Amino acid sequence: MSEAQRRVARILVDTPLSHLDRPFDYAVPDELADGVVPGCRVKVRFAGRLVDGFVLELADGSEHEGKLAQVAKVVSSEPVLAPQTAHLARTLADRYAGTVADVLRLAIPPRHARAEAHPPSDPAPTPPDIGSASWHAYLHGATFVEALAKGESPRAVLNVLPRHEPERAVAEAVSAVVRSGRGAVVCVPDVRDATRWHEVFAEALGPDAHVVLTAADKPAARYRSFLRVTRGEVRVVLGTRGAAYAPVKDLGLVVIWDDGDDLHAEPRAPYPHTREVLLTRAIKAGAGVLIAGHARTAEAQSLVQQGWCAEIVADQSSRRREWPLVEVTDGTEHGAASARLPAAVFQAVRNAEGPVLVQVPRRGYRASLACQDCRTPATCPQCHGPLLQHRADAPLVCRWCATEVPAWRCGECGGTRLRAPVVGQLRTAEEFGAAFPDRTVLTSGGSAVLDHVEGDGSPLVLATPGAEPTVSGGYAVVVLLDTWLMLGRDDVRVVEESHRRWFNALALAAFGARAVAVGDSTVLQALVRADPVTVAARELTDRAETHLPPVGRLATVDGPEDVIGVLAKRDWPAFVDVLGPVPVEPGRERLILRVPRREGLALATVLKQLAAERSAAKEPPVRIQIDPVAF
């Protein structure tokens, strides 16, 4: 039977209900037969409403015994749902106890008719052979690129040295894989990274050899770029986490930069991590893998220790030469109390012949306040929330209810003087500006993030973690302030995440630069040794002892107290270790479920059945996350 004679469309309906997470058969009326094609968008009548859907496939019959409802409308005959994307969505929905519809919302951008009207263009030309010079600094680095050029699919974890442009190294790897007749997907944490990498890709591969997919793009531009991929016009996609789903034809390489950045964790259901999306695609397509960063996550280290990924690093002498020389100080002088601006920091900045970067863990001005006399935290008289101050001449404000407190008085001792146990980058900028009046002081963080600063005038830049701007030639001195504060956060990944942010800041240093870290020397030895691998290996060992990801699998279930209380008493399978409930906010609690890694899919199946039971009974949903970044 010809395709035109197939009158049944198997459709993925856009519904969030877990118990309806499956394809449905619809009859294709004669007048729509030419427009209904696999992968296109349609509208169908579902539960009494007209809803969107994607045609998964066309068939010549249905197992449904009753009369089939008809496809109501063809929204567009453009086949935007590729078979590989549908299979990926099903796999991720099963992995994360979600629905296919939720995954497809992440994978396929909203339709834009004007962009769709553009006629297809010719495929992008094959990029030139740009060599592998950026890989020569690493042991076995050039071999990785050579294997890609031969059509092979190597898998590696790369630890990038300072100033060794990771975007150029990845461009060389992408060029090799495209010249072998395959495509590549490259994911970076944010738009700032995507913009910088785009410039290098355009220069190295050619202006039309790739597309950029980010949530910051205008809808028409984003959809047009997506269509260029689905139509086979380009084989290289660069972007943020949404780009991980791009249906690149003949996928040969997936790349993720800085996989420890929490921006790679999807905040929308079913909460997949970009790294896991890319690894799933690589396994399905038999593609190569590159996980790159200045630091290394426990997940990446696990792949190396399992032998699934090779390790690409520089030798020890090269690491010591390329990374800045780090001095650690606890901030004390001759046994006195810790100073806000230790002598080691003061001297390093004073002697610096060039721009200086100071990383401050907290943004804002005075992010925490306490009584100067008795050290009792300063709280709001209305709701007892913590007080803060946005600038020197601003009144005190409650962090919870935003109430201004013009005349604060300590409830314990009656004192009126305040101290700031936690100081943000704005207040620190005032202190450094007073100490170094000959330097231009700049701040970067919060809603005012600098991408790049000029080195003229030897600026002193105070930035929060992740908001450090680049500077031509690198910083002469990098200062890591208050490292104890970053390590003091209540987070299972706090050590790994802190080192990632510190190594990323140190990577901005110039060759031969100096760095000063204020903190405990026993905790900061990895910075002194320029050794991020040891941190990851130690973290992985700690995770193994507590059976946490990536060694085990963990899920959190959030909901109202009464619901979680009932779920805590549920008859869970024997392999599930139930922890909690624990409060997360007023009226809501969290249940933590832990299983061995081999039981991860079984846990997801159990949780998906739970979600289906609740949706079928029309009960409020609970929030289910598998392997969350924080819990």
Side-chain angles (χ1 to χ4, degrees):
M1 185 174 288
S2 68
E3 195 75 20
Q5 292 173 307
R6 292 183 176 178
R7 299 304 188 199
V8 175
R10 198 147 291 135
I11 294 175
L12 290 171
V13 180
D14 186 3
T15 174
L17 301 176
S18 296
H19 70 290
L20 299 176
D21 184 33
R22 59 182 177 84
F24 291 86
D25 290 349
Y26 282 83
V28 180
D30 293 342
E31 63 271 19
L32 299 181
D34 293 336
V36 177
V37 298
C40 77
R41 302 177 195 257
V42 295
K43 282 190 178 293
V44 295
R45 188 69 59 179
F46 190 82
R49 297 185 302 115
L50 203 61
V51 299
D52 294 319
F54 293 98
V55 176
L56 193 60
E57 61 180 347
L58 295 174
D60 52 15
S62 172
E63 296 180 358
H64 181 70
E65 296 180 356
K67 183 179 179 181
L68 294 178
Q70 292 190 337
V71 175
K73 179 182 178 182
V74 177
V75 177
S76 168
S77 292
E78 185 80 37
V80 293
L81 176 60
Q84 57 172 296
T85 305
H87 295 154
L88 175 66
R90 178 76 274 163
T91 301
L92 293 175
D94 294 340
R95 159 77 167 81
Y96 286 98
T99 65
V100 173
D102 282 341
V103 178
L104 292 182
R105 288 191 199 101
L106 306 176
I108 302 176
R111 178 175 179 259
H112 196 280
R114 187 175 299 176
E116 206 170 74
H118 280 273
S121 59
D122 295 332
T126 302
D129 183 356
I130 56 177
S132 57
S134 300
W135 293 82
H136 293 168
Y138 309 101
L139 301 174
H140 312 299
T143 304
F144 179 82
V145 180
E146 292 170 2
L148 290 173
K150 294 176 182 177
E152 300 173 5
S153 300
R155 302 184 296 262
V157 174
L158 169 67
N159 278 98
V160 179
L161 296 171
R163 300 171 307 283
H164 283 243
E165 297 181 294
E167 55 269 37
R168 195 163 299 278
V170 172
E172 291 171 357
V174 168
S175 173
V177 80
V178 175
R179 285 185 284 107
S180 73
R182 298 173 294 167
V185 174
V186 180
C187 290
V188 296
D190 59 27
V191 177
R192 294 170 61 208
D193 294 312
T195 301
R196 186 173 68 254
W197 285 52
H198 165 65
E199 294 174 355
V200 174
F201 273 41
E203 174 192 341
L205 306 177
D208 297 320
H210 75 285
V211 295
V212 178
L213 289 175
T214 71
D217 298 334
K218 293 182 179 179
R222 184 183 180 193
Y223 192 59
R224 174 68 185 124
S225 296
F226 177 79
L227 290 179
R228 291 193 66 196
V229 180
T230 62
R231 293 171 177 177
E233 298 172 18
V234 292
R235 289 188 172 185
V236 179
V237 175
L238 166 67
T240 49
R241 57 178 179 261
Y245 306 90
V248 173
K249 299 184 185 302
D250 301 316
L251 185 65
L253 177 67
V254 297
V255 181
I256 183 170
W257 167 251
D258 200 8
D259 66 304
D261 195 310
D262 57 10
L263 292 175
H264 283 304
E266 177 59 58
R268 295 169 292 178
Y271 317 105
H273 194 284
T274 304
R275 177 187 55 245
E276 304 307 314
V277 176
L278 293 177
L279 292 180
T280 301
R281 293 195 65 182
I283 292 172
K284 286 182 171 292
V289 174
L290 180 62
I291 302 174
H294 293 301
R296 182 180 294 184
T297 60
E299 284 78 7
Q301 181 65 20
S302 176
L303 296 176
V304 171
Q305 292 186 190
Q306 293 174 32
W308 198 79
C309 280
E311 183 179 55
I312 300 180
V313 296
D315 60 66
Q316 183 177 0
S317 61
S318 297
R319 294 201 311 271
R320 294 289 181 88
R321 182 177 61 252
E322 295 293 336
W323 285 96
L325 180 64
V326 178
E327 174 187 356
V328 179
T329 176
D330 62 3
T332 63
E333 300 296 331
H334 308 296
S338 177
R340 175 64 179 161
L341 184 57
V345 173
F346 184 89
Q347 291 298 331
V349 176
R350 175 64 66 199
N351 298 333
E353 297 181 357
V356 175
L357 172 65
V358 180
Q359 186 191 71
V360 185
R362 292 286 179 87
R363 64 174 179 263
Y365 188 74
R366 294 203 291 178
S368 177
L369 295 167
C371 176
Q372 176 67 42
D373 299 322
C374 69
R375 301 300 196 261
T376 300
T379 58
C380 172
Q382 301 294 329
C383 70
H384 302 289
L387 297 181
L388 56 81
Q389 190 177 28
H390 294 298
R391 60 182 188 276
D393 59 347
L396 305 184
V397 178
C398 177
R399 189 185 301 167
W400 290 357
C401 67
T403 298
E404 292 189 1
V405 184
W408 174 85
R409 182 176 293 274
C410 179
E412 292 293 325
C413 69
T416 58
R417 297 184 304 161
L418 288 164
R419 65 188 299 270
V422 178
V423 177
Q425 99 274 15
L426 298 180
R427 173 60 180 168
T428 306
E430 285 186 0
E431 298 174 355
F432 273 76
F436 306 103
D438 56 327
R439 287 183 177 268
T440 301
V441 178
L442 304 174
T443 62
S444 179
S447 60
V449 176
L450 303 176
D451 291 331
H452 181 82
V453 297
E454 298 299 330
D456 300 339
S458 299
L460 195 159
V461 181
L462 289 98
T464 53
E468 302 91 349
T470 58
V471 63
S472 300
Y475 291 96
V477 169
V478 175
V479 177
L480 306 176
L481 276 187
D482 301 336
T483 58
W484 57 270
L485 186 59
M486 198 179 297
L487 289 169
R489 293 179 296 112
D490 185 15
D491 187 344
V492 171
R493 302 174 184 266
V494 63
V495 174
E496 174 189 293
E497 173 65 7
S498 297
H499 279 83
R500 184 189 71 83
R501 292 177 180 273
W502 294 332
F503 275 113
N504 284 351
L506 294 175
L508 298 174
F511 181 78
R514 181 183 177 188
V516 181
V518 182
D520 187 346
S521 60
T522 59
V523 176
L524 304 176
Q525 280 303 302
L527 306 182
V528 177
R529 298 193 307 268
D531 183 16
V533 175
T534 297
V535 178
R538 187 168 60 244
E539 278 294 293
L540 185 60
T541 299
D542 292 343
R543 305 272 183 87
E545 293 176 354
T546 53
H547 306 290
L548 293 177
V551 179
R553 281 282 163 81
L554 184 141
T556 60
V557 183
D558 292 11
E561 291 179 357
D562 56 339
V563 174
I564 298 301
V566 172
L567 293 181
K569 299 175 183 178
R570 186 185 176 97
D571 186 18
W572 298 95
F575 58 81
V576 178
D577 187 11
V578 181
L579 307 175
V582 295
V584 290
E585 60 183 58
R588 291 183 67 84
E589 289 185 336
R590 172 173 297 162
L591 200 64
I592 299 176
L593 309 175
R594 186 174 57 182
V595 300
R597 185 173 181 83
R598 64 179 178 274
E599 304 290 356
L601 189 57
L603 174 63
T605 302
V606 170
L607 291 173
K608 189 161 186 178
Q609 181 181 354
L610 167 65
E613 291 172 0
R614 296 189 64 82
S615 67
K618 297 184 179 180
E619 296 176 337
V622 290
R623 188 173 189 264
I624 297 173
Q625 276 191 277
I626 293 182
D627 291 349
V629 173
F631 56 91

